[in-house]
């Protein structure tokens, strides 16, 4: 994967110039032009969302506590927001990139995100959060490295690969949107992409000739880190590397107990890091496979991604059948047991030198409990919608956080039910009222027939339990209260539940959503409002100077000259260019 071109600047060079309020850590600057390109990953030409003409987008390679400045130019023909999956945005939901906190960037405009990867390490990704756009691309990786003074619980790998896997349709995202708007199901995807490319032609009847595929080049005897992200639409994928063990070491910012897998189910929105040692004899290349799970295997055979692992001394191309997926037809607990085995390495440090297990979450008193039940899509006011506890979220025109700041009443309600109710389902903007510095228990009850994955912005949470059937108060007796994995995205199996614990120490309004794009688009999300009782500006970062206004506040928005027009003005000058210009001036001054 090509790395993002970033300008890294010491804090003191720019703090006085821009009045930035972040800690004294380096800055990394990125300039992104988000636009359409024409590509044919599965052999059919279609419109794809690219960043700086790259699909997938560049990998942001930064280090713990760095300040990140991303200038986004929206060259699409529709509004755009970029969200940073897993980056916790400490007390800074203004940069979250979802409709509850940000007005969309209009076509032709640019907007600059500015945040700090405070006390974080690990593997994450970014993507466009609006209107099913992720189904057309626009995603890329975020790698947050440890500071040199912090020990890592494994030897330094000989290389680092980022691999995006995900289901893919040959229809563009606007066509997929129309299908959902018409009350229909998206159906079966056309394939699975790996790093934006189609499958290697392992089967001439399933894979047409001429499709570009991904090749990972390696040296025999060396060990590499693979950061694997499922950026797809709704399909759980089983990931495996033919004849190689995958040593799991990290997931979404937490170092895990190290264990070898021959395959692992990676659900939509999840990220994992493996160490893979090149210990085979290289008689030929090897398959890297991501195949659909929890589906009709015979119908979904072509929904398989295949890349190639190529040793420098390989004696030939990969051939023959793919390595087998898990055979759990008679054992529905296989994948769940895999998930339960992913636990925190409590003896290792992460972003800080203290062991991860020093936070004894199992002994903290729970202050709020929410049981969130989803069911198959329902019809509300003639529309096909998805729900949580009977509520189908519809984003208001005014972002929730802006409504709070300017005391705009009636934008949302704080009446989200703590448990499933028998009331008729409804469409609206009902929000969970979280207690700042409280400790919340959330149980996801999946009464649908497909795997759901849930993500919470602004937080990592502890996955403490999961099982089949209906959750009850007695289910707490099965919780892992010592080394449950801390992450930001968790799977919930059909007909099952998953329980998480989260410490509400991050002021703001935060999105809690299903990562499955179709059900998210139809309303399966909610926001958690965590307000500081001492008032605005006490612990939360100030609203940024470049905030966009819309909805009830649209009259406050100053016009911006769209890029590409013949005239321009200073306010429309791209902030990334300003940063770079200032840096050059400062550098020149040092030389003098």
């Amino acid at each position: 994967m090509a790395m993002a071109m970033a300008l890294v600047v010491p804090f003191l060079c720019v703090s006085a110039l821009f009045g930035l309020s972040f800690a004294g850590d380096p800055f990394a600057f990125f300039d992104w032009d988000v636009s359409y390109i024409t590509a044919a990953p599965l052999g059919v030409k279609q419109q794809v969302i690219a960043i700086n003409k790259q699909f997938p987008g560049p990998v942001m390679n930064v280090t713990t506590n760095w300040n990140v400045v991303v200038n986004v130019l929206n060259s699409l023909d529709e509004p755009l927001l970029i969200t940073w999956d897993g980056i916790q945005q400490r007390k800074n939901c203004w940069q979250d990139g979802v409709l509850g906190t940000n007005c969309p960037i209009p076509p032709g405009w640019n907007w600059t995100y500015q945040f700090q990867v405070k006390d974080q390490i690990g593997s994450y990704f970014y993507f466009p959060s609006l209107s099913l756009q992720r189904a057309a691309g626009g995603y890329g990786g975020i790698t947050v490295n440890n500071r040199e003074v912090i020990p890592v619980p494994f030897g330094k790998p000989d290389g680092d690969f980022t691999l995006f896997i995900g289901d893919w349709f040959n229809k563009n995202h606007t066509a997929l949107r129309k299908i959902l708007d018409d009350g229909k199901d998206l159906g079966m995807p056309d394939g699975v992409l790996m790093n934006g490319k189609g499958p290697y032609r392992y089967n001439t009847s399933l894979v047409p000739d001429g499709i570009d595929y991904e090749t990972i080049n390696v040296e025999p005897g060396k060990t590499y880190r693979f950061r694997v992200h499922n950026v797809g639409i709704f399909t759980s994928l089983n990931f495996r590397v033919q004849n190689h063990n995958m040593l799991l070491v990290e997931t979404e910012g937490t170092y895990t107990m190290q264990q070898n897998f021959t395959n692992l189910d990676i659900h939509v929105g999840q990220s994992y890091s493996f160490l893979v040692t090149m210990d085979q004899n290289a008689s030929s290349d090897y398959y890297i496979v991501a195949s659909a799970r929890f589906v009709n295997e015979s119908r979904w055979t072509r929904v398989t991604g295949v890349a190639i692992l190529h040793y420098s001394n390989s004696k030939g191309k990969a051939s023959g059948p793919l390595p087998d997926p898990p055979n759990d037809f008679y054992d529905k607990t296989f994948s769940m047991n895999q998930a339960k085995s992913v636990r925190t390495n409590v003896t290792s440090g992460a972003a800080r030198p203290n062991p991860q297990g020093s936070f004894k979450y199992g002994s903290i008193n729970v202050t709020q409990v929410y049981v969130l039940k989803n069911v198959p899509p329902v019809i509300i006011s003639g529309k096909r919608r998805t729900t949580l506890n009977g509520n189908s979220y519809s984003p208001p025109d005014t972002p929730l956080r802006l409504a709070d700041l300017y005391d705009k009443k009636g934008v949302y309600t704080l009446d989200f039910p703590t448990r499933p109710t028998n009331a008729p389902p409804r469409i609206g903007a009902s929000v969970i009222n979280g207690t700042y510095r409280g400790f919340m228990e959330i149980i996801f009850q999946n009464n649908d027939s497909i795997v759901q994955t849930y993500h919470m912005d602004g937080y990592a949470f502890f996955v403490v339990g999961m099982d089949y059937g209906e959750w009850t108060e007695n289910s707490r007796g099965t919780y892992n209260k010592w080394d449950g994995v801390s992450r930001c995205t968790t799977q919930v199996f059909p007909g099952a539940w998953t329980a998480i614990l989260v410490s509400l120490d991050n002021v703001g309004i935060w999105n809690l959503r299903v990562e499955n794009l179709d059900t998210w688009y139809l309303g399966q999300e909610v926001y958690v409002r965590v307000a500081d009782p001492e008032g605005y500006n006490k612990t939360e970062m100030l609203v940024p100077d470049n905030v966009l206004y819309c909805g009830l506040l649209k009259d406050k928005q100053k016009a911006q000259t769209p890029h590409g027009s013949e005239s321009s003005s200073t306010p429309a000058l791209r902030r990334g260019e300003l940063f770079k210009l200032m840096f050059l001036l400062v550098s020149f001054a040092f030389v003098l």
Side-chain angles (χ1 to χ4, degrees):
M1 288 296 299
M3 303 302 285
M5 295 301 293
L7 187 64
V8 180
V9 184
F11 172 78
L12 292 177
C13 293
V14 296
S15 59
L17 292 171
F18 302 109
L20 301 173
S21 59
F22 294 110
D25 293 293
F27 278 72
F29 297 101
F30 301 86
D31 250 329
W32 289 354
D33 187 352
V34 182
S35 66
Y36 296 119
I37 62 172
T38 299
L42 294 176
V44 178
K45 287 186 177 181
Q46 62 186 121
Q47 182 177 269
V48 169
I49 297 176
I51 296 177
N52 296 347
K53 304 301 182 185
Q54 297 181 44
F55 169 62
V59 174
M60 301 170 62
N61 197 338
V62 296
T63 297
T64 300
N65 292 346
W66 279 18
N67 301 292
V68 178
V69 181
V70 188
N71 183 60
V72 175
L73 183 63
N74 180 11
S75 295
L76 305 180
D77 58 0
E78 58 186 19
L80 171 72
L81 283 173
I82 301 289
T83 192
W84 321 92
D85 237 36
I87 301 301
Q88 292 179 21
Q89 307 281 7
R90 298 300 299 173
K91 299 178 174 66
N92 191 20
C93 71
W94 304 109
Q95 310 292 332
D96 199 22
V98 290
L99 284 176
T101 54
N102 296 109
C103 294
I105 307 168
W109 287 33
N110 69 280
W111 198 73
T112 303
Y113 291 90
Q114 186 172 298
F115 55 87
Q116 187 178 26
V117 288
K118 181 68 174 173
D119 292 332
Q120 284 190 268
I121 57 95
S123 309
Y124 312 97
F125 65 97
Y126 60 84
F127 66 91
S129 65
L130 303 183
S131 304
L132 235 67
Q133 288 170 349
R134 193 177 80 205
Y139 50 76
I142 307 173
T143 296
V144 185
N145 304 291
N146 286 75
R147 293 175 293 159
E148 291 293 335
V149 297
I150 305 299
V152 176
F154 48 83
K156 185 176 181 179
D158 297 296
D160 198 309
F161 299 110
T162 297
L163 194 57
F164 303 105
I165 62 177
D167 54 357
W168 187 263
F169 285 87
N170 287 327
K171 300 181 180 70
N172 65 27
H173 69 289
T174 56
L176 297 178
R177 262 194 334 240
K178 187 176 186 308
I179 292 172
L180 294 176
D181 290 340
D182 290 343
K184 300 174 184 176
D185 190 87
L186 293 182
M188 184 172 63
D190 294 301
V192 168
L193 303 191
M194 287 191 165
N195 283 351
K197 300 175 182 178
Y200 172 79
R201 201 178 191 202
Y202 69 98
N203 183 308
T204 56
S205 62
L206 291 175
V207 183
D209 194 13
I211 288 182
D212 191 20
Y213 58 87
E214 180 73 337
T215 299
I216 305 293
N217 294 304
V218 296
E219 297 291 332
K222 293 189 174 182
T223 297
Y224 298 86
R225 185 170 181 172
F226 285 71
R227 302 175 192 263
V228 186
H229 310 273
N230 186 338
V231 294
I233 301 167
F234 54 71
T235 305
S236 297
L237 297 172
N238 181 263
F239 181 78
R240 51 201 186 273
V241 182
Q242 186 180 28
N243 291 1
H244 290 73
N245 283 322
M246 306 183 303
L247 182 67
L248 179 65
V249 295
E250 178 257 337
T251 178
E252 296 161 20
T254 295
Y255 289 127
T256 62
M257 293 294 293
Q258 295 180 16
Q259 56 179 318
N260 277 310
F261 289 91
T262 56
N263 66 82
L264 183 67
D265 288 340
I266 303 179
H267 306 277
V268 178
Q270 291 188 326
S271 302
Y272 287 95
S273 279
F274 306 96
L275 296 182
V276 183
T277 299
M278 304 304 130
D279 54 6
Q280 298 301 299
N281 60 19
S283 57
S284 68
D285 293 342
Y286 297 92
Y287 296 123
I288 303 173
V289 181
S291 59
R293 291 283 278 142
F294 312 107
V295 294
N296 185 314
E297 298 289 345
S298 60
R299 289 186 59 241
W300 283 63
T301 304
R302 64 181 173 86
V303 186
T304 301
V306 183
I308 292 297
L309 185 71
H310 174 72
Y311 280 57
S312 61
N313 62 340
S314 174
K315 298 178 178 62
K317 293 184 176 182
S319 61
L322 301 179
D324 291 331
N327 182 9
D328 55 352
F329 183 81
Y330 297 105
D331 180 13
K332 299 303 182 185
T333 62
F334 174 86
S335 186
M336 183 179 288
N337 288 336
Q338 266 195 340
K340 289 180 177 180
S341 75
V342 178
R343 296 172 294 134
T344 295
N345 181 349
V346 296
T347 64
S348 169
R352 297 178 178 180
N354 58 299
Q356 296 177 139
S358 62
F359 186 74
K360 296 180 173 58
Y361 66 88
S363 61
I364 300 174
N365 290 329
V366 170
T367 57
Q368 290 178 283
V369 180
Y370 278 82
V371 180
L372 306 182
K373 178 183 285 189
N374 72 276
V375 297
V378 297
I379 303 299
I380 308 176
S381 301
K383 297 182 180 293
R384 185 174 182 263
R385 302 287 297 182
T386 54
T387 58
L388 286 173
N389 288 2
N391 285 261
S392 185
Y393 187 83
S394 178
D397 293 335
T398 308
L400 314 180
R401 186 62 194 89
L402 277 179
D404 270 4
L405 182 65
Y406 288 93
D407 197 26
K408 296 296 182 181
K409 305 298 185 184
V411 172
Y412 66 90
T413 58
L414 284 172
D415 59 352
F416 192 89
T418 60
R419 304 277 176 131
T421 70
N422 294 322
R426 61 176 181 169
I427 299 175
S430 180
V431 171
I432 291 175
N433 193 13
T435 302
Y436 180 48
R437 293 181 176 169
F439 200 55
M440 183 177 285
E441 177 184 14
I442 302 175
I443 299 96
F444 301 106
Q445 179 73 54
N446 183 3
N447 282 26
D448 204 346
S449 58
I450 57 175
V451 177
Q452 302 280 346
T453 51
Y454 285 91
H455 174 90
M456 188 172 185
D457 284 352
Y459 291 93
F461 48 69
F462 295 95
V463 183
V464 294
M466 59 179 68
D467 204 352
Y468 285 101
E470 291 279 332
W471 182 88
T472 68
E473 304 288 336
N474 294 331
S475 301
R476 293 193 179 101
T478 68
Y479 284 5
N480 176 355
K481 294 189 175 182
W482 166 241
D483 63 355
V485 68
S486 175
R487 63 188 311 166
C488 57
T489 309
T490 186
Q491 66 273 62
V492 190
F493 293 95
W497 57 266
T498 295
I500 65 172
L501 296 175
V502 57
S503 178
L504 298 182
D505 60 351
N506 197 9
V507 170
I509 291 183
W510 303 104
N511 190 228
L512 177 59
R513 63 176 177 267
V514 69
E515 287 278 50
N516 308 52
L517 286 185
D518 52 348
T519 47
W520 180 13
Y521 179 77
L522 293 175
Q524 201 168 313
E525 64 176 320
V526 65
Y527 282 84
V528 181
R529 180 180 183 269
V530 183
D532 187 341
E534 295 185 17
Y536 171 64
N537 292 349
K538 297 299 182 182
T539 55
E540 186 180 15
M541 287 192 177
L542 297 175
V543 59
D545 293 338
N546 66 335
V547 66
L548 295 175
Y549 295 98
C550 54
L552 297 176
L553 299 165
K554 63 183 179 181
D555 291 340
K556 296 179 68 64
Q557 180 61 49
K558 295 180 180 179
Q560 183 181 121
T561 303
H563 74 280
S565 63
E566 294 184 2
S567 62
S568 63
S569 60
T570 301
L573 187 63
R574 296 170 64 179
R575 289 186 65 189
E577 299 301 327
L578 279 172
F579 280 120
K580 292 179 181 179
L581 177 61
M582 287 295 190
F583 174 67
L584 290 173
L585 290 173
V586 172
S587 300
F588 183 66
F590 282 137
V591 171
L592 293 178

